[in-house]
Amino acid sequence: MGNSKLGKFILLGALLGGAVALLDRSTRNSVMGTSKKAANEISFYAKNPETLKQKLVEQKDKFQAAYEQLSGDVSYIKEQVEELKALTPQVKELVTDTKETFVDSKEEYETILKESPSTTS
């Protein structure tokens, strides 16, 4: 029972809000213009259903093409991510090997530098 009152009051509030908004001349003109345009379009498409059907088919084709493009892009990105996942261990191993090489080289250079002054003296 409380729900029916809530629904009635919401509807009443919407109607009162609409009525108050229509007190403004520019709002009234805008609503009238939009309503006339919508009525004209409905009338036109009621008389020419093939035109409406053609427009709907065109829109469907556009959305389908956009969907196919998006699917292709998502597929490409997935492939790239999988490839990156496969390459990551290889790159990690390469970086580790390079680091070890530099550490070993550093130790060798330190050894050479320590020995060099004693051999020249």
Side-chain angles (χ1 to χ4, degrees):
M1 197 162 179
N3 289 338
S4 64
K5 286 184 181 179
L6 177 65
K8 288 179 185 177
F9 286 125
I10 288 175
L11 182 61
L12 180 64
L15 290 173
L16 287 174
V20 170
L22 288 175
L23 293 176
D24 181 44
R25 182 181 306 265
S26 64
T27 303
R28 253 191 337 265
N29 291 337
S30 174
V31 168
M32 290 300 292
T34 303
S35 298
K36 286 180 183 177
K37 182 179 176 186
N40 288 338
E41 285 189 30
I42 290 171
S43 174
F44 174 78
Y45 289 124
K47 293 175 186 172
N48 303 300
E50 287 300 316
T51 306
L52 177 62
K53 182 180 176 184
Q54 183 182 0
K55 280 193 172 195
L56 291 174
V57 167
E58 288 174 5
Q59 286 295 325
K60 179 194 70 96
D61 291 344
K62 285 181 186 178
F63 285 126
Q64 190 171 9
Y67 173 77
E68 289 172 2
Q69 177 68 34
L70 183 62
S71 293
D73 290 348
V74 167
S75 192
Y76 174 76
I77 290 172
K78 258 178 114 173
E79 289 173 10
Q80 294 300 313
V81 167
E82 291 301 320
E83 189 175 319
L84 186 61
K85 284 181 182 178
L87 286 176
T88 300
Q90 295 172 355
V91 171
K92 184 178 177 182
E93 185 178 331
L94 179 66
V95 169
T96 303
D97 290 347
T98 304
K99 179 183 173 189
E100 289 173 0
T101 302
F102 278 117
V103 168
D104 292 345
S105 295
K106 178 184 173 190
E107 291 171 0
E108 288 179 17
Y109 287 133
E110 287 176 349
T111 305
I112 291 171
L113 290 174
K114 286 181 182 176
E115 292 176 0
S116 291
S118 62
T119 57
T120 57
S121 302

